[in-house]
Amino acid sequence: MAYFNSVIGNIDSHYADYTVEPSGRINITLEPGYTSSSALQSFSDWYKLVYGDSIAYLKKQGDIDQARVIMEGLWKEAPSSIHVVLELVRLNMDSGTFMEARSLIQQSLIMRGDDDLLLERSLRVEERLGNLSGILHVISSLMRSRKCT
């Protein structure tokens, strides 16, 4: 949280004001005339620039453990960030720690509710674990979230 508090003002000059809640949620007030779509793209571009390349580099070098350490630190700072959660889950899967990936997804689903991206990743984890009842449960949740019958 402290990290995001220290850098968020540097991400986009159109952020008029911002706060980081103890839960990790970031509230941003935009300058008049600046759209939320532009602000979201700006934040996403910043995240990819700062963390995407370093994580990708570590993965290419085969240092999955160090990449996980970085992402775990980010997750502690912003546990509600879907980008951080999905990347950390991917890194856990790459390193074969599927139970940790499952636990992270379950925690995130509790915080976010039935999120299709999380549920789809959960399905992959359950498939890799060979957990048929888990697969069926996730499929059922996906169908409910997509309002399929």
Side-chain angles (χ1 to χ4, degrees):
M1 209 168 354
Y3 172 74
F4 279 111
N5 248 336
S6 69
V7 299
I8 204 149
N10 299 323
I11 295 171
D12 191 320
S13 62
H14 299 287
Y15 294 172
D17 190 25
Y18 62 88
T19 57
V20 180
E21 295 178 6
S23 66
R25 179 182 172 155
I26 300 171
N27 298 307
I28 300 172
T29 304
L30 303 175
E31 290 179 349
Y34 193 62
T35 66
S36 58
S37 177
S38 296
L40 185 58
Q41 184 62 50
S42 173
F43 190 84
S44 179
D45 291 346
W46 170 83
Y47 172 83
K48 287 177 188 171
L49 177 69
V50 173
Y51 296 104
D53 289 342
S54 62
I55 297 297
Y57 174 78
L58 289 168
K59 286 171 65 174
K60 284 179 187 175
Q61 297 301 315
D63 198 348
I64 300 297
D65 290 336
Q66 183 59 34
R68 280 180 53 207
V69 168
I70 292 171
M71 290 309 298
E72 286 169 354
L74 284 174
W75 181 68
K76 288 176 185 169
E77 292 286 333
S80 62
S81 169
I82 189 69
H83 298 294
V84 172
V85 170
L86 290 174
E87 184 60 28
L88 185 53
V89 167
R90 182 184 349 264
L91 289 168
N92 278 313
M93 291 177 68
D94 289 349
S95 65
T97 55
F98 296 103
M99 296 302 288
E100 287 182 36
R102 176 197 274 167
S103 176
L104 180 61
I105 290 169
Q106 289 171 344
Q107 291 173 47
S108 297
L109 286 169
I110 289 168
M111 286 183 358
R112 298 179 63 89
D114 281 348
D115 180 288
D116 281 358
L117 291 172
L118 286 171
L119 289 170
E120 289 168 3
R121 191 59 49 90
S122 179
L123 185 59
R124 290 184 190 151
V125 170
E126 297 303 328
E127 287 171 345
R128 294 293 298 270
L129 288 170
N131 180 7
L132 181 58
S133 63
I135 292 169
L136 294 174
H137 176 75
V138 174
I139 289 171
S140 174
S141 296
L142 269 168
M143 291 175 68
R144 269 194 320 274
S145 78
R146 294 177 179 171
K147 296 179 178 51
C148 298
T149 55

